[in-house]
Structures are given as structure tokens and as C-alpha cells.
Amino acid sequence: IELNLFRINKSEFKFKLLGFLFLCQVQLFGQQERTNSIVFHPLFGQEQLSLGAKNYLEDSGTILQFSTLKFYISEVQFLNHEKVVWQEKNSYHLVDATLEASLKLALDCPADLLFNKVQFQLGIDSVTNVSGAMGGDLDPSKGMYWAWQSGYINFKLEGNSSLCPTRNHEFQFHLGGYLFPFESTQLVTLNVVASKQIDIDVDVSELMHQIDLVKQNQVMSPSYEAKELSFKTISIFKVHQ
């Protein structure tokens, strides 16, 4: 009799174990289903942006070489017919063209979320700026922080061109500023088709077409010039075709 009870208990144990493992798989699958992502594709025109390689502006034949492309994405939201249907909490991401992992933002969204627009800030909000330097992607060691008076650099693009009358023909655009009248954070809104992955092109040629490197090649602090250039950066973001 004791042997039969042992066998029954052993069978029950196996059944409960299998049930537990099944629930774990269902839960894991549900978590995977909740994950949406935004993937950024750094480009120069129709080609993938390769730092250090030569790039040509088609209209002028100007040769450009880029060494740095970094920018902050924050306050990520999905909208459906102008209504916000999901927004990310503690939303701060540093996108760095040299770090492939940083180009993909994993977002914990409901699996059945309906949306037709993605919206985000290019840069860091004023409240975070006055909170002082923080950790993670906001860590000053990332090279995107000036000082508490000036705050975070929202967008950084560096390289060289023979057009630049500077040392080593370098251009440096460090765009930021959160205090009036130099607020430079920009709102980017793109029409999209709801899917598990939203692909966004970041075409720096769109910005370089709007800059005369002979006259404008060094922007390194909050200013009207930085604010104006920051507005132009909106044009580099487009839904991947």
C-alpha cells in the first residue's frame, strides 16, 4: 500500500511539474509578445553611414568624413489618431552609431496595441537637466554632458571636410541647451504602420545639405545657432522604406 501511494504521489509531482513549466513558457511567451522595438539606421543618403569613410554630397561634390554620431532619444510615445496610447516610463536612450546595441530600443508594449504614429523627443528635458548628471545612458562618462549650467548635449555630430577653415578641417556640432532662450530639444513625430519593429532612418546628409561648412563648422555650447541647427535635425529622421 505504501508503494502504491508513493507511485501516486510521484505521478502527481510529475503532473504538477509539467504544469508549472507550461505556465512558465506561457508567461515567457507573453513577455516576448509585449516587446516592441524601434531600430535606428544611420545613413548618408541611400547608403549605410560608415564612420571614417568618405561621403559625397551629390549637389556640390563635397567630401565628408564623419567620426561621431550620438544623440538622445527620450519620452517615447505611441499615438493612435492623435491620442497617446502608450508612453515609456523613465525614457532616456543614448543612440551611438559606433555601438550597434544602442541602435535598437526595446519597448515593453501591450501585444495588441494599436497605433499609427511614433513620437519622441530628440534630447533631454529641462527637469532632468537641472537634476544634475545621472547614471546609465545619462552618465557624464558617455561624453554627452557639458556641466550643470549647460546640461546635456542632445545631438553630437563630428567629422572633417576640406571646406572647413579649421584645424585639421574639422567640424563639430554639439547641440544642446535647456534654458530660455536657447531651448534646443525637438519633438519628432512620424507616421508609421503598427508592427513589432519600427525602423527609422537617420540620414545625416539631410542636415549637411542645410549647413555651409565654410561659415558654420563649430557649435559647441547653447546658443541661437545651436537652437536653429537643432530644429534642422528633425529632417534627418524618416520611416525606413
Side-chain angles (χ1 to χ4, degrees), residues 68-182:
T68 302
L69 172 61
K70 294 182 180 182
F71 53 88
Y72 275 113
I73 297 297
S74 64
E75 300 183 27
V76 178
Q77 298 180 332
F78 288 131
L79 292 81
N80 192 31
H81 300 293
E82 310 305 325
K83 179 182 178 180
V84 176
V85 293
W86 181 86
Q87 57 185 6
E88 185 182 34
K89 297 180 180 179
N90 301 316
S91 182
Y92 305 104
H93 304 276
L94 178 58
V95 179
D96 184 341
T98 65
L99 300 175
E100 185 175 353
S102 75
L103 300 177
K104 183 174 183 178
L105 313 186
L107 307 172
D108 185 23
C109 302
D112 58 350
L113 186 67
L114 297 176
F115 58 93
N116 58 12
K117 289 185 179 181
V118 60
Q119 184 171 278
F120 54 82
Q121 295 282 350
L122 177 59
I124 301 299
D125 62 274
S126 60
V127 173
T128 303
N129 270 283
V130 299
S131 298
M134 303 170 70
D137 278 0
L138 296 174
D139 194 302
S141 64
K142 304 293 184 180
M144 295 291 283
Y145 189 74
W146 281 310
W148 71 268
Q149 299 97 329
S150 301
Y152 285 93
I153 300 169
N154 296 329
F155 180 90
K156 179 185 285 190
L157 184 64
E158 299 178 335
N160 64 76
S161 169
S162 59
L163 291 178
C164 299
T166 55
R167 185 173 180 269
N168 297 323
H169 304 292
E170 294 177 339
F171 57 82
Q172 296 176 301
F173 300 114
H174 296 185
L175 310 181
Y178 67 94
L179 293 174
F180 178 84
F182 304 138

Side-chain angles (χ1 to χ4, degrees), residues 214-234:
V214 176
K215 300 177 181 179
Q216 190 175 41
N217 43 63
Q218 299 284 328
V219 180
M220 304 291 288
S221 61
S223 60
Y224 285 113
E225 189 176 18
K227 185 174 182 177
E228 179 185 7
L229 275 180
S230 295
F231 180 75
K232 293 179 180 179
T233 58
I234 296 175

